[in-house]
Structure formats: structure tokens, C-alpha cells
Amino acid sequence: MTDAGRSRPTPLSRRGFLSAALVGLTQKAGRPIAGGFVNESHVAGHQLRDGIRQPAPTKQRRASVVIVGGGMAGLCAGWRLAKQGLDDFVILEMEREAGGNSRWGENEVSAYPWGAHYVPIPGAAAGLVREIFADLGVYDGQTWDERHLVHAPDERLFLHGRWQEGLEPAVGPTRRDRDQFVRFTARMAELRATGRFTIPMAVGLGPQGVPPEDALSMAAWLDRERLDSPWLRWMVDYACRDDYGGLARDVSAWAGVLYFAARDADDSGPLTWPEGNGWIVRRLLQRLGTRVESGQVTYRVERAGRAWRVLTPTTAWTADVVIVAAPLHVATRIVAGAPPVRVTSSPWVTANLTLEGWPRETGFPMAWDNVVFDSPALGYVVATHQHLRRHVPRTVWTYYWALAHQPAAEARRWLLAQDYATLRDRVLDDLSRPHPDIREHVSRVDIMRFGHAMVRPTPGLLSNPGWRALQDGQDRLFYAHSDLSGLPLFEEAQYRGVLAADRAIATIGRG
Ligand SMILES: Cc1cc2nc3c(=O)[nH]c(=O)nc-3n(C[C@H](O)[C@H](O)[C@H](O)COP(=O)(O)OP(=O)(O)OC[C@H]3O[C@@H](n4cnc5c(N)ncnc54)[C@H](O)[C@@H]3O)c2cc1C
């Protein structure tokens, strides 16, 4: 696979094409802006959902292990199998490019992420994360390669018309608000010390554990703690939107607390790259080589005696063991006999903006992560931030927007109904508050819509019987996706992939 076509937009729908073309002619003040929707996958996804008949496969192939889904979990399952000496496996990825939510793009200015863009320095529980980074040459067992640690300044916040350093609001909070920030931080330190909040979560919790914090929302937990400062509530809401795509009222206290309590307080990271976690994907793809087959949508996984049959439009695979590393809303539709489970998926939008210069701004200088206080979106990350050159004339910004404020299904419908130009203008309008002349600098905006980006860790998810049944898998079939943790994080995807690979090896070993 080459990078050449990575940022090429997929063909637009007729409506999208017409409106994009019209806007090209009638742009607001500023230069003409190219771009369109990229990586649109809802058509293939909805065909699976609606059970649209697929062509009958003409080829028959066999592998000891078939992995369905080439996102981070599927790729890490392959990494583990290969490391353990099991070579007879294949990874079937439905998209043209593997990587899932960790895909990336590239243009003449920089590589840039389409989704995941960082990994925090792993804590004590995350031995597997250290192992993979040691394999990839980022960690030598003691120190982290500084080229991959975020360069300063890492974060800033646009508040009251200017940028400030860090994300905790500096101007506005009263003494009472400040006291609540201090109390919140102390509570998180106490909860961290219990050892229950870890990433991966199964280490602190045990594989079958259901913590009491799963039963209530993060907003209810804050109420219970009498933490009502609007500034603190903004920060917690921001954290829940950032990691889970939902507001504190829609996310369990378990997940909300975990965001703050699972990481070591002296975290010197995170690790990041211009293409975000696509950097990891690239290296895994190099290692896995032809064992990753892209453009292979799996539409059915069914029993064939003791084995499993995995069907794609071209090939009927027979496998001793199947690892289903597709998201749960897909996995439960394509696998015969999968436990029925209803989960909420968070819809997201990301946009990559190519800029021909740096827009005007006021206050603290440009950081890696740039957050706008009263925006519905999460701000933007600068892809060229890790470049070592001092003068970078052109840049790419990745804009993140979790559609958290409406019910998820409603937000998804809204998202699919929008044309490119409307979404592009929303992004530019939002960014023109901190950067009034942004339209004079942007030459391209590509937009990716994720209808089902990730499972939202809603209250009660960990005690949902269907979701728990998925943890066990079926006879010789194991599920592996970050959705199984209810925590959309690199570490959880890797953990789930490795766990499924180890189960596959144990099963094959038993014969
Ligand atoms: C916008 C965004 C930003 C994020 N930022 C971060 C971040 O900074 N750090 C972080 O740690 N995490 C982040 N995440 C979370 C991210 O989801 C995880 O880090 C990780 O990439 C998830 O990997 P996965 O394999 O579990 O899932 P996925 O990425 O969902 O992979 C599943 C794969 O299965 C494929 N597939 C689906 N159906 C089929 C089928 N029928 N046949 C074949 N293949 C199929 C999909 O195409 C996909 O490639 C972000 C997520 C999003 C959406």
C-alpha cells in the first residue's frame, strides 16, 4: 500500500458534489477551498445492516485464524499471533486501507491523523503497551525516544477572546471554583490509589468485574460529590466528549473517573506523531505484510462443523478460529448466534485543514492541542507540531468534533443529511472565533464522517448481559475490539486484540 492516495477524497454523492462545486464558486471572503468527504463507509455499513444480498464468493481459502477487521485491535491480534510463532492467519479489512479509527492521510505539507492521534505514556498496568513500543523502537526499557514525546507547548485554551496556557480555565473561576478543582484532583488521587482504575481496565477490575461507578452517570457522581462549579463541570464534560464522544450526563461515572484516575499523575507524554496513531498502524502493516487483505468486507461468519466459515464477496474462508475485531454494532450482525446487545455509538466528525500560512491570533502561542472553550467541538491538533524545522510555512490542522449534545441516533441522522459545504462552513465558522482570518489561509478542507465512531460507555454498560456475553465469545470465536472495554483507547484495542490472539493460540493448541 502506498500513501499516495491516502488523502484523495472518495467520490462524493451527487448532492455533495453539486453543493461542493457551488460553494467553490461562491466562497465567503478568502481563497477558494478545495476538498470533500473522505473515507465514506456508511453505504457498505448500511448494506450489512439491511442484509443486502452480497455476491456469492467464488474462491475457497483456509487459514488457522481469520481476523475480521484491520483496526488497531485486529492488527494487534496479528502482531501477537506472529510474535508467538503462529503464522497461518489473515486479517480481512473492509476498507481500502486498514487502521480503522487510527487511519491517517498525507499531502505535500504533512501526514495527519483521521482519528486517534496520541497514546499516553503507559502506566504500571500497561505492560503490553511498553512491549509494542519497545518492538517499534520508541522505548528502550527505561526511556522514551524524545522525538515521539509531544513537544512543548502541548495544550492551550481559547477563553475570553485570547489563548491561555493549559486547559484549566485561568481567568473566570472564583475562589470557590478553585477549591472545587483542588477537591476534585484530590478525589482522583484517592481513587487512583485504590488500584481499581487502570488502563487496560481489566487489570484493575478483573475480566468480569462491575464497579459501583458503572451504575450512575459522571454528572450524577459530581452531584454526589457536591462539585457544581460550572468551570469544573465544563472540564469534565470536555474530557467525556474528548475520550467518549458523550457529555458527563451520558457517560458512566466509571468511565468519567477513569479518564482522570487511571493515568499516572507525572505523565511526561503523550506520545504523538504527525499522522497520529497512524504511525503505529504503518509499522504494524509493514510487519504483517500480505497477511492484511483490504477491501474485503466480511458479511457473514457462520459455523461449518467444528470450524467457522467467513464469507466475503469474493472468498469463502474456512478457519479453525475466528477473531472478530469489527465494532460491536457490526460484529453482532454478521456473526451467526452472536449475543444480542444494544449499545450507543457516538457519532463524530473530523476535518483536516491545509493552511497556506498561520492565521492571526492573540495570547499564548500555538500548541499541539488547541481547545476553544465554548465550542461544541473539541478544537484542533497541529500535524506539523512535531516537525523539527523551526520555520514551517504551511501546516495541517486536524479538527475534532464529537456530536455529543443531541441524542446519538438523532445526531447521526443529522450528520448523514449534511452536505460537505455545510459541514465545512461549520468548521470554519467555529475556528474563525480564535482565528478571524482563517478563510484567507485555508486551501483545502477534507471531512470524515463517523456515524458509529465508538461505543459510548453509558451508565450500566458493564452490567449489560449481552455485552458481558460478548466478552466470553463463542466456541472457537473471540471478539476483539476496543468496544469490548467500552473505552475507545489504543491501549484497550491492543489489550483486546492480544487477549483474543492468546485465546486463539490456546484453542488451536488444544486441537
Ligand atoms: C475521532 C477519533 C479520535 C480518537 N482519538 C484517539 C486518541 O487520540 N487516542 C486513542 O488512544 N484513541 C483514540 N480514539 C479511539 C480509537 O477508536 C482507538 O484508539 C482504536 O483505534 C480503536 O481500534 P479498534 O480496532 O478497536 O476499532 P476500529 O478502529 O473501529 O477498527 C475496526 C475495523 O474493523 C473494520 N470492519 C468493520 N466491519 C467490518 C467487516 N464487516 N469486515 C471487515 N472489516 C470490518 C473497520 O473498517 C475497522 O478498520 C479515537 C477515535 C476517534 C473516532
Side-chain angles (χ1 to χ4, degrees):
M1 184 193 314
T2 66
D3 281 347
R6 281 203 166 268
S7 51
R8 205 169 35 223
T10 48
L12 291 171
S13 67
R14 186 175 154 72
R15 193 166 54 142
F17 174 77
L18 283 176
S19 49
L22 279 175
V23 170
L25 293 173
T26 61
Q27 89 267 1
K28 294 187 187 172
R31 54 172 69 231
I33 298 172
F37 287 135
V38 301
N39 300 332
E40 295 273 273
S41 66
H42 55 269
V43 176
H46 291 171
Q47 283 184 352
L48 288 178
R49 180 194 65 188
D50 301 337
I52 305 285
R53 242 180 116 83
Q54 301 285 337
T58 50
K59 286 187 269 178
Q60 308 276 336
R61 291 169 72 186
R62 217 204 112 69
S64 290
V65 182
V66 170
I67 301 171
V68 176
M72 201 55 95
L75 297 175
C76 287
W79 168 74
R80 181 68 159 200
L81 291 178
K83 268 194 103 170
Q84 301 295 322
L86 196 156
D87 284 320
D88 182 21
F89 68 89
V90 65
I91 301 177
L92 304 177
E93 166 55 43
M94 75 175 206
E95 300 290 348
R96 202 174 47 179
E97 284 142 3
N101 287 345
S102 296
R103 272 174 295 170
W104 77 100
E106 188 150 20
N107 63 17
E108 68 286 7
V109 178
S110 180
Y112 47 80
W114 276 117
H117 54 286
Y118 72 96
V119 179
I121 296 292
L128 282 172
V129 181
R130 280 192 295 278
E131 183 182 331
I132 198 166
F133 282 126
D135 274 12
L136 301 181
V138 174
Y139 180 59
D140 68 5
Q142 307 235 296
T143 49
W144 295 89
D145 184 334
E146 288 197 359
R147 283 172 304 171
H148 309 300
L149 295 173
V150 71
H151 300 168
D154 61 343
E155 290 171 337
R156 63 177 185 167
L157 178 66
F158 186 77
L159 176 64
H160 310 311
R162 58 186 292 118
W163 290 101
Q164 61 144 78
E165 183 175 11
L167 295 190
E168 189 178 319
V171 176
T174 60
R175 177 83 187 257
R176 183 174 176 279
D177 296 308
R178 294 258 163 259
D179 289 347
Q180 291 204 10
F181 271 93
V182 171
R183 198 147 58 77
F184 179 78
T185 308
R187 275 298 277 141
M188 291 302 149
E190 271 170 40
L191 290 165
R192 188 178 306 122
T194 64
R196 291 193 299 123
F197 295 89
T198 60
I199 293 176
M201 72 173 200
V203 173
L205 200 58
Q208 297 296 320
V210 179
E213 293 86 356
D214 179 56
L216 75 165
S217 73
M218 187 61 189
W221 185 91
L222 290 167
D223 290 344
R224 203 176 70 183
E225 298 281 324
R226 294 206 210 94
L227 292 167
D228 60 359
S229 154
W231 298 94
L232 176 67
R233 302 290 280 229
W234 171 81
M235 198 182 73
V236 176
D237 255 335
Y238 174 81
C240 292
R241 287 190 289 137
D242 187 36
D243 258 22
Y244 311 128
L247 298 172
R249 64 167 192 235
D250 298 321
V251 161
S252 74
W254 161 255
V257 169
L258 200 121
Y259 181 97
F260 295 95
R263 311 285 191 200
D264 290 342
D266 62 348
D267 183 350
S268 57
L271 297 159
T272 188
W273 306 267
E275 67 273 58
N277 296 5
W279 188 92
I280 307 169
V281 172
R282 269 188 209 250
R283 278 145 192 87
L284 290 177
L285 289 176
Q286 278 159 8
R287 278 148 201 250
L288 292 164
T290 54
R291 280 177 293 204
V292 181
E293 299 196 11
S294 52
Q296 296 294 318
V297 59
T298 296
Y299 65 86
R300 187 75 181 153
V301 180
E302 60 192 22
R303 290 271 24 175
R306 280 199 77 205
W308 286 92
R309 193 170 15 240
V310 179
L311 302 177
T312 77
T314 60
T315 309
W317 287 88
T318 304
D320 299 324
V321 174
V322 179
I323 294 176
V324 183
L328 293 190
H329 72 279
V330 177
T332 51
R333 282 181 198 275
I334 61 175
V335 176
V341 57
R342 287 186 75 83
V343 288
T344 304
S345 316
S346 299
W348 279 70
V349 173
T350 54
N352 272 297
L353 293 84
T354 306
L355 290 105
E356 302 302 316
W358 296 82
R360 204 171 66 230
E361 55 176 39
T362 310
F364 190 77
M366 183 63 71
W368 167 66
D369 190 10
N370 304 274
V371 176
V372 179
F373 178 76
D374 50 358
S375 161
L378 295 154
Y380 63 92
V381 167
V382 178
T384 51
H385 186 77
Q386 296 294 101
H387 286 202
L388 295 174
R389 274 179 294 142
R390 291 189 93 191
H391 180 64
V392 180
R394 301 167 76 201
T395 186
V396 176
W397 293 358
T398 310
Y399 178 87
Y400 288 90
W401 180 12
L403 304 183
H405 294 87
Q406 298 154 272
E410 207 177 283
R412 213 169 0 260
R413 276 194 298 276
W414 178 85
L415 181 57
L416 267 191
Q418 302 312 301
D419 58 30
Y420 162 76
T422 306
L423 288 180
R424 184 202 61 194
D425 283 346
R426 284 261 185 151
V427 172
L428 291 172
D429 288 347
D430 190 31
L431 288 175
S432 65
R433 287 185 303 131
H435 304 291
D437 61 346
I438 188 153
R439 283 187 165 82
E440 288 163 35
H441 297 276
V442 174
S443 59
R444 181 169 195 101
V445 180
D446 287 318
I447 296 181
M448 182 160 159
R449 298 184 286 183
F450 304 70
H452 301 261
M454 52 183 62
V455 158
R456 185 175 293 174
T458 45
L461 177 68
L462 303 196
S463 56
N464 177 329
W467 185 81
R468 291 174 71 77
L470 286 164
Q471 314 286 323
D472 297 331
Q474 290 155 247
D475 177 35
R476 296 175 161 257
L477 179 145
F478 307 108
Y479 296 95
H481 188 277
S482 52
D483 283 2
L484 285 180
S485 299
L487 301 171
L489 302 172
F490 165 78
E491 300 94 316
E492 297 292 344
Q494 185 207 19
Y495 177 82
R496 297 290 164 180
V498 166
L499 184 67
D502 287 350
R503 286 173 158 183
I505 291 168
T507 306
I508 289 167
R510 276 201 306 274

